[in-house]
């Protein structure tokens, strides 16, 4: 199609008020087909549902509906096979499809736009797309959670150091650590499901902003398109992008969780920690240092957070201060959502793969679990429980024991009983029963604690989830 023909088609879409096509700069800033062609399937699906409803309510004939449906199916096949020619002069996916439909079936194509506007059309397309992406995100989160539950089951007894301030604090089990991420990513999953519930309303039929005088059935199109019900206010219907902002909001939280996990994997895989070893599938080498095995997949997951956070800020800024109802600013609502969805889904898939096949070095974890006087709190607790000391006095006595161990360059359980009794005479030989890593971990039986039996109970809880048992 020549440029003049493009301009003529564009003018026809705009109507008789405009005598000439847009100049180059206006076309450049106005066109969105470069990115919104991603919505072609949703646009065609919405148009088919709309055509069916128009026919069922006597607004167009059944013959026109059949021509429109056949033409839309043809366009769908052309796009999917790569034969469809997208035109920048036609601005967006809606007008590209409508122009091609007119080429295929003639003036009947113009009946399709009865009782709708590009405003409710794009709101529908984008909402359908985000709803589908939320479904994909939910499945990926379920896979990641499942991978963590499996690793937790394998390592319910594997001890490792627990950290605060990245300093050894108290020993925990690796299974317990895995379940911490299960909790985290399950919250992400619940936000995804909440978002689906809130966006499950169909804006089609709101038209430009005020609804329509045609006797349409919005409940019919909502049901046909898989929505719970139609939206209830035409102004809000075409101007609402909360569903996109909410998607980006939950994406930023999930990406933050993924980044925290990625950071731990980067740290754990260093020779200094040696807690885990990533497979070759999720590592790369160095161009100059042949010994290197870099956790690039984890590092890239960590970096994706920046893109997703940026998308959130970008859309919030676009929507800030827009008066009701639709403004052209809202054309800038999609690219960052498309990019964030791609980044999040890639990061989730990569992380599920890393968690599933990384090798856990139990010996290195156990050795590190006892370092840094990690059972000091157990000594203080014993003094409270068995010797009746106030906790603050027990804390002071334990601090003295740690100072002694540091001076002698030994662990707490290696201090002689006589030396411990010089610190506090109430200490007996029974103290040694709580100073081992295994005893410390086993004693943490409070609900939500790290004791292996607790971990196994929590694993049962998570495995009872229907989607984890599949």
């Amino acid at each position: 199609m020549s440029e003049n023909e493009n301009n003529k088609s564009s003018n026809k879409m705009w109507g008789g008020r405009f005598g000439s096509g847009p100049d180059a700069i206006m076309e450049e800033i106005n066109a969105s087909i470069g990115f919104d062609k991603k919505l072609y399937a949703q646009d065609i699906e919405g148009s088919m549902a709309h055509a069916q409803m128009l026919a069922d309510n006597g607004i167009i004939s059944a013959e026109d509906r059949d021509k429109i449906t056949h033409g839309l199916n043809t366009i769908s096949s052309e796009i999917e096979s790569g034969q469809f020619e997208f035109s920048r002069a036609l601005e967006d996916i809606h007008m590209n499809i409508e122009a091609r439909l007119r080429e295929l079936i003639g003036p009947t194509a113009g009946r399709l736009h009865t009782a709708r506007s590009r405003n409710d059309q794009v709101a529908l397309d984008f909402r359908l797309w985000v709803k589908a992406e939320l479904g994909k995100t939910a499945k990926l989160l379920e896979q990641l959670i499942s991978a963590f539950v499996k690793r937790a089951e394998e390592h319910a007894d594997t001890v490792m150091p627990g950290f605060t301030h990245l300093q050894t604090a108290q020993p925990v089990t690796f299974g317990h650590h895995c379940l911490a991420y299960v909790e985290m990513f399950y919250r992400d999953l619940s936000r995804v499901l909440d978002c689906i519930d809130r966006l499950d309303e169909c804006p089609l039929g709101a038209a430009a902003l005020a609804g329509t005088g045609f006797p349409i059935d919005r409940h019919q199109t909502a049901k046909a398109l898989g929505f719970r019900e139609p939206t209830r206010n035409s102004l809000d219907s075409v101007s609402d992008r909360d569903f996109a902002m909410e998607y980006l909001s939950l994406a930023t939280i999930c990406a933050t969780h993924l980044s925290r996990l990625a950071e731990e994997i980067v740290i754990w895989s260093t020779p200094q920690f040696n807690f885990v070893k990533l497979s070759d599938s999720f590592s790369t080498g160095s161009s100059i240092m042949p010994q290197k095995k870099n956790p690039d997949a984890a590092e890239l997951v960590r970096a994706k957070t920046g893109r997703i956070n940026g998308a959130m800020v970008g859309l919030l800024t676009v929507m800030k201060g827009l008066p009701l109802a639709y403004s052209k600013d809202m054309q800038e609502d999609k690219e960052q959502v498309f990019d964030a969805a791609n980044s999040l889904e890639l990061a989730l898939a990569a992380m599920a793969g890393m968690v599933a096949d990384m090798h856990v070095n139990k010996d290195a974890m156990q050795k590190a679990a006892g370092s840094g006087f990690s059972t000091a709190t157990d000594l203080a607790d014993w003094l409270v429980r068995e010797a009746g000391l106030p906790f603050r006095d027990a804390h002071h006595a334990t601090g003295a024991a740690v100072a002694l161990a540091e001076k002698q360059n030994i662990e707490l359980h290696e201090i002689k009983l006589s030396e411990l009794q010089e610190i506090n005479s109430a200490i007996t030989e029974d103290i040694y029963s709580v100073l081992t890593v295994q005893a410390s971990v086993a004693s943490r039986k409070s609900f939500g604690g790290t004791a292996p039996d607790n971990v196994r109970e929590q694993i049962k809880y998570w495995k009872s989830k229907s989607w984890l048992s599949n």
Side-chain angles (χ1 to χ4, degrees):
M1 189 182 287
S2 70
E3 184 176 344
N4 285 337
E5 287 171 327
N6 268 336
N7 282 338
K8 286 177 184 176
S9 295
S10 181
N11 297 342
K12 226 179 254 185
M13 293 296 170
W14 278 112
R17 181 175 176 186
F18 294 84
S20 62
D23 67 23
I25 294 175
M26 182 60 193
E27 182 176 309
E28 183 69 23
I29 196 171
N30 197 44
S32 61
I33 189 61
F35 55 84
D36 70 14
K37 62 185 176 183
K38 188 185 285 283
L39 300 174
Y40 80 89
Q42 290 77 18
D43 198 71
I44 290 172
E45 181 186 5
S47 291
M48 286 185 172
H50 186 64
Q52 181 66 52
M53 181 275 297
L54 291 175
D56 288 350
N57 288 275
I59 301 170
I60 66 172
S61 69
E63 182 182 0
D64 286 344
R65 174 203 61 203
D66 292 345
K67 285 183 180 179
I68 289 168
T69 300
H70 177 73
L72 290 171
N73 279 322
T74 300
I75 293 169
S76 180
S77 297
E78 289 176 350
I79 294 174
E80 289 172 4
S81 65
Q83 297 176 334
F84 190 92
E85 291 187 20
F86 293 100
S87 167
R88 284 180 59 80
L90 292 171
E91 298 181 22
D92 57 33
I93 187 61
H94 323 298
M95 294 176 81
N96 268 266
I97 288 175
E98 186 174 335
R100 178 58 178 151
L101 187 63
R102 182 176 288 272
E103 289 176 356
L104 290 171
I105 68 172
T108 300
R111 299 191 184 279
L112 175 59
H113 211 55
T114 305
R116 77 172 183 184
S117 162
R118 282 196 299 176
N119 293 356
D120 62 339
Q121 194 177 355
V122 69
L124 169 68
D125 294 357
F126 197 20
R127 196 176 285 241
L128 281 170
W129 190 90
V130 171
K131 186 178 179 182
E133 290 306 304
L134 285 165
K136 294 178 186 177
T137 302
K139 290 294 182 187
L140 288 165
L141 280 165
E142 289 170 5
Q143 291 170 15
L144 179 55
I145 291 168
S146 297
F148 267 120
V149 170
K150 184 177 180 182
R151 298 323 294 263
E153 191 168 25
E154 294 167 355
H155 295 283
D157 294 293
T158 301
V159 293
M160 67 174 291
F163 299 96
T164 61
H165 309 277
L166 203 55
Q167 304 294 313
T168 300
Q170 293 175 295
V172 296
T173 67
F174 185 59
H176 191 60
H177 200 105
C178 288
L179 290 181
Y181 280 108
V182 170
E183 297 281 346
M184 203 178 290
F185 290 115
Y186 185 74
R187 290 194 296 273
D188 291 324
L189 178 58
S190 70
R191 278 183 279 270
V192 169
L193 300 178
D194 287 346
C195 187
I196 291 173
D197 183 65
R198 264 185 294 279
L199 72 74
D200 207 14
E201 298 176 347
C202 181
L204 186 61
L209 76 161
T212 178
F214 288 95
I216 63 173
D217 186 345
R218 294 191 62 211
H219 288 85
Q220 177 183 335
T221 47
K223 183 177 180 181
L225 292 165
F227 289 101
R228 182 181 62 246
E229 59 188 338
T231 52
R232 295 178 179 275
N233 183 282
S234 59
L235 282 169
D236 182 61
S237 298
V238 299
S239 61
D240 168 39
R241 292 299 183 270
D242 285 6
F243 62 92
M245 290 188 287
E246 188 169 354
Y247 174 76
L248 290 177
S249 176
L250 67 87
T252 58
I253 296 171
C254 184
T256 299
H257 293 160
L258 288 166
S259 185
R260 294 181 72 180
L261 172 58
E263 174 72 1
E264 292 209 309
I265 289 175
V266 169
I267 292 170
W268 290 348
S269 62
T270 61
Q272 290 77 13
F273 272 74
N274 195 29
F275 285 1
V276 301
K277 188 169 290 184
L278 295 177
S279 72
D280 292 348
S281 301
F282 295 98
S283 307
T284 63
S286 165
S287 63
I288 190 172
M289 295 168 285
Q291 85 281 8
K292 292 289 296 296
K293 188 173 184 180
N294 300 323
D296 281 9
E299 291 172 357
L300 288 167
V301 166
R302 188 174 58 187
K304 292 291 184 186
T305 308
R307 296 175 70 102
I308 297 170
N309 288 353
M312 175 82 247
V313 173
L315 184 55
L316 287 172
T317 305
V318 166
M319 297 303 296
K320 177 193 67 64
L322 290 187
L324 295 179
Y326 181 83
S327 297
K328 193 68 171 180
D329 310 51
M330 292 160 74
Q331 182 170 289
E332 295 295 319
D333 61 357
K334 298 171 195 68
E335 282 185 281
Q336 54 262 56
V337 176
F338 294 159
D339 183 75
N342 182 65
S343 295
L344 181 63
E345 288 164 15
L346 185 59
L348 283 168
M351 193 56 76
M354 277 185 276
V355 170
D357 77 352
M358 68 184 180
H359 171 73
V360 177
N361 188 341
K362 296 168 68 172
D363 291 339
M365 283 187 174
Q366 178 157 340
K367 182 178 180 181
S371 65
F373 311 108
S374 65
T375 59
T377 306
D378 297 275
L379 172 55
D381 287 348
W382 186 93
L383 288 168
V384 171
R385 188 173 56 249
E386 303 298 331
L389 269 66
F391 183 79
R392 283 302 166 202
D393 292 346
H395 186 281
H396 180 78
T398 301
V402 168
L404 179 62
E406 276 187 318
K407 184 178 180 180
Q408 296 182 14
N409 196 27
I410 59 176
E411 298 297 331
L412 285 175
H413 67 274
E414 296 175 315
I415 302 175
K416 295 176 182 178
L417 178 59
S418 59
E419 292 175 319
L420 287 172
Q421 288 174 333
E422 288 180 15
I423 293 171
N424 190 288
S425 60
I427 295 176
T428 70
E429 196 164 353
D430 288 343
I431 193 70
Y432 294 107
S433 67
V434 302
L435 293 183
T436 65
V437 166
Q438 286 76 10
S440 173
V441 166
S443 72
R444 306 292 170 181
K445 294 180 180 179
S446 58
F447 187 80
T450 190
D453 288 344
N454 284 24
V455 172
R456 293 187 180 95
E457 283 300 311
Q458 290 300 315
I459 289 168
K460 287 180 185 177
Y461 167 79
W462 288 109
K463 290 179 77 173
S464 71
K465 300 287 186 183
S466 59
W467 45 268
L468 273 180
S469 61
N470 293 333

